[in-house]
Amino acid sequence: MKEKNFFLNIKKQLPKGCFIQKIENKFNSGFPDLILITDKLPLFIELKSPIKRNRITIEKSQISIHLRIKANNYISFILVRCPLTSDLFLFDGGIICNFCVSKGLCTFSLSEEKGFLIRGSLEECLRIANQKVCVL
């Protein structure tokens, strides 16, 4: 599923009253794809689909932004849609990017434990993301 369709699918599933904004990266490459506000909390979410062998590629500019968000005492997320099962995987963007940097990689796997938060529905992923933001 292409990113645009992934976004539209998410938008369609959101409860009434949620605010969602797709961010176009024309001026600041690497910024997460979405700002989503649920429960009065802003969530910065990068959308990804795996490539071969459940590997997810993340650009260096995206790694940089996720690490900057983390350095400023906030949290960003990477939401991955598995093309085979349509399951959603939610990752802590700062943790997974720290992992990538420590390994000298720009990819990670759905099976990695570093930064993995939940596998489930959009509702479950957003619940966990909001819980993580509330703890800050």
Side-chain angles (χ1 to χ4, degrees):
M1 176 181 287
K2 293 191 183 257
E3 188 177 296
K4 180 180 178 182
N5 292 336
F6 190 9
F7 165 73
L8 292 173
N9 187 274
I10 287 171
K11 187 175 180 180
K12 186 170 59 176
Q13 293 181 56
L14 289 174
K16 189 174 181 165
C18 290
F19 173 82
I20 188 169
Q21 180 65 52
K22 177 108 172 73
I23 305 299
E24 299 299 329
N25 290 330
K26 294 177 185 174
F27 303 105
N28 189 8
S29 71
F31 198 81
D33 297 316
L34 304 176
I35 294 177
L36 178 63
I37 300 175
T38 62
D39 299 331
K40 300 180 184 176
L41 301 168
L43 305 174
F44 299 103
I45 301 173
E46 180 68 38
L47 301 176
K48 292 288 182 186
S49 291
I51 55 174
K52 294 178 184 177
R53 293 172 290 210
N54 287 332
R55 302 292 298 168
I56 295 93
T57 300
I58 187 161
E59 303 294 324
K60 289 180 181 179
S61 60
Q62 293 170 329
I63 290 172
S64 174
I65 295 291
H66 283 281
L67 293 177
R68 286 172 55 199
I69 290 170
K70 182 179 174 78
N72 283 283
N73 299 315
Y74 203 73
I75 188 169
S76 58
F77 301 94
I78 298 173
L79 186 64
V80 179
R81 182 188 170 278
C82 180
L84 298 176
T85 64
S86 296
D87 288 345
L88 297 177
F89 294 77
L90 184 68
F91 293 88
D92 179 312
I95 292 174
I96 201 71
C97 288
N98 268 336
F99 172 77
C100 289
V101 167
S102 74
K103 300 291 184 185
L105 302 172
C106 286
T107 62
F108 63 97
S109 171
L110 289 180
S111 63
E112 300 289 353
E113 292 180 24
K114 300 282 185 190
F116 174 73
L117 298 172
I118 189 172
R119 174 184 182 173
S121 67
L122 179 62
E123 181 181 344
E124 293 168 317
C125 290
L126 293 178
R127 181 179 52 78
I128 295 299
N130 278 303
Q131 286 175 359
K132 293 282 287 182
V133 171
C134 282
V135 173
L136 295 176

